[in-house]
Amino acid sequence: MNLFIVNSSIGRKLVMSITGICLILFLTFHMSMNLVALISPKGYNLVCEFLGANWYALVATIFLALGFIIHMAYAFLLFLQNKKARGNNAYAVSAKPKEVEWASQNMLVLGIVVAAFLLLHLYNFWAKMQLVELMHQLGVNVCGDALSKSADGAYHIAATFQDPIYVILYLVGLGALWFHLTHGFWSALQTIGFNNQLWFNRWKCIGTIYATIIVFGFAIVAIAYFVKSVCC
Amino acid sequence: MEKSINITLKVWRQKDAKAKGAFETYKLDGISTDTSFLEMLDILNEKLITERKEPIAFDHDCREGICGMCSLYINGHPHGPDEDVTTCQLHMRKFKDGETITVEPWRLAAFPVIKDLMVNRNAYDQIIQAGGYVSINTGGVPDANAIAIPKPIADEAMDAAACIGCGACAAACKNGSAMLFVSAKVSQLALLPQGKIEAAARAKAMVAKMDELGFGNCTNTRACEAECPKSISISHIARLNREFLCAKIKD
Ligand code: HEM
Ligand code: SF4
Ligand code: FES
C-alpha cells in the first residue's frame, strides 16, 4: 500500500472523507441524544450518567477526538498543498460559475468556525461534566458542587442557554456546520467513488435534508431551553 | 445581423518564463461581432506589427474546437464567458460595445507561462505518457458484433473521450487539481473491454504522475465541470476514485 493515504491525493481525500463520515455519524447520535432533553430532562441525565467517565465512554471520546484532529490536520495539509499547486500568480479577474456552491469553496473557513464552536462547546459542557468526573477519579480535588452536577446534563443545558449570547453563538456555529455538511455530505461520497450521474443529485438532496435535520435538532434544544428560561 | 463593437483589451504580457509580467491595455474599434475571439486577437496583432510592436503570443491550432491548443482566461472564465465552447469557437457577439475584456494565461504552478498568454501544458502530456493508453495489440478491426457493448456504456466512454486536454479544468480549479482531465482519460479506457484489462494499473500510474507534477487535491467544487468546453462530468472523477481506491486496497 506504501501509505497511499499520505502520499497520494486521492488517498488523502479518502482520509478526509472517512473522518468526515465518522463525524457525521457522531453528530447523528449526539443530536438524537439531545432530543431526549426536550422530552424528559431526567431521561437525558440517565444518558449523561451512562456516558460519564466510564472506560467505554472515554474510549469513544478518544476516537472522536482523533477523528477531529485527523480531519483538521488533513484540512490544513490539503489547503497548503492546494495553495502551492495554484502558484503565486492569482487571476486578476475570476468569476464563480453558477454550478459552484459557495460552501464548497469555503470549507476551511467553515471548518474553522465549527472548530471554534467546538472549543466553546467543550468549555460549556465537557469541561463541567466528563472532565470533572475524570479528574475526580484521578484523585484531583474537585469542588463537591461541581462533582454533584457532573452528570446533570439538563442543568448544564439550562444554565448555558438562559444566556442569549450563548444561544446566538451556538446558532452561528450550527449555521457554519449546516453549510459544511451540505457540501461535505455528497463530497464525502464522491471522494470514495460512491457516485454517478444519477446519484449525484440524489446525494445532494439527501445531504441537504440530512444537514437540515441535524442542525435543526441541535438548534431546537438550545432555543427551547432559552424560551423556558425566559417564560418560567 | 452584422454589427461592430469597440472594445478595450487588458492583456497579460510577459517576455519569457522568467520575466515578471504585467497587463497592457489596447483599444480596438470596429470589431465585427461575427469575428471569433482569436480572429480579433489576430487583428490586434496585425495592428501591433504595423506599429512595430511585439505581437501577443497565444496558443491555437485547429480553430475548430477539437485540438485543445487554444486556452486563455477571458473575463474570469477559461475559454471565455460562453458555455461549452473553446476559445477558438468563442465569438465577439458575446461581448458588449465598450466592454473591457481581461485576457490572462492559465495561472497554475504546473502550467508555467512561456510567453504572454502561452503556457507550458507538457504536464498533461506526461500524465498521458504515464498510462493514458492501451498497451496490448488489439489486432485488426473485428466484426462490430463480436464484442457487444451496451449503449449507455459506449455513450459514457464517448463522452469521456471528448476531452481535448486543453487544461481549462486545472486552470479553473481553486485547488489546481487535474482530476477532471485524468478522470476523463481513465474513464474513457476503463469503460471499454480493451482498456479494462489495464484499468487498475493505469489509474495508479496516472494519479501518481499527476501528484508528482504538483497538481492539487480535488475538493469537489465543480468549477472544472462548469468551465470544461467539452462538458466532461465529475461522475468520471467518482469512477477514477473508485478505480484508484480499489486498486490500492487490493495491493
Ligand atoms: C462536526 C464536525 C465536522 C464534520 C461532520 C465534517 C464533515 C466533513 C465532510 C463529510 C467533508 C467532506 C470530505 C470529502 O470531501 O471527502 C469535510 C470536508 C472538509 N472539512 Fe470537515 N467536518 C467537520 C469539522 C471540520 C473542522 C473542525 C474543520 C477544520 C479545520 C474541517 C475542515 C474541512 C475541510 C477544509 C474540508 C474540505 C476538504 C476536502 O474536501 O478535501 N471540518 N468535512
Ligand atoms: S476535462 Fe475538459 S477542461 Fe479538462 S482538459 Fe479535458 S476538455 Fe479541457
Ligand atoms: S484551436 Fe484547436 S481547440 Fe481551439
Side-chain angles (χ1 to χ4, degrees), chain A residues 10 189-197, chain B residues 156 179 186-187 191 200 203 235-250:
Chain A
I10 300 180
L189 292 158
Q190 165 86 4
T191 300
I192 48 180
F194 217 67
N195 209 350
N196 60 29
Q197 253 156 23
Chain B
E156 217 172 332
M179 286 285 272
V186 162
S187 265
L191 283 163
S235 64
H236 297 297
I237 297 184
R239 179 175 298 101
L240 169 62
N241 289 341
R242 245 181 348 254
E243 291 283 346
F244 180 85
L245 292 173
C246 288
K248 282 291 180 187
I249 284 159
K250 270 194 204 121

Side-chain angles (χ1 to χ4, degrees), chain A residues 13 16-17 23 71-72 75 78 107-108 111 180 184 187-188 191, chain B residues 219:
Chain A
K13 277 307 311 275
M16 266 329 263
S17 165
L23 293 177
H71 191 77
M72 285 192 268
L78 293 183
M107 286 299 271
L108 186 66
H180 199 81
S187 177
T191 300
Chain B
T219 68

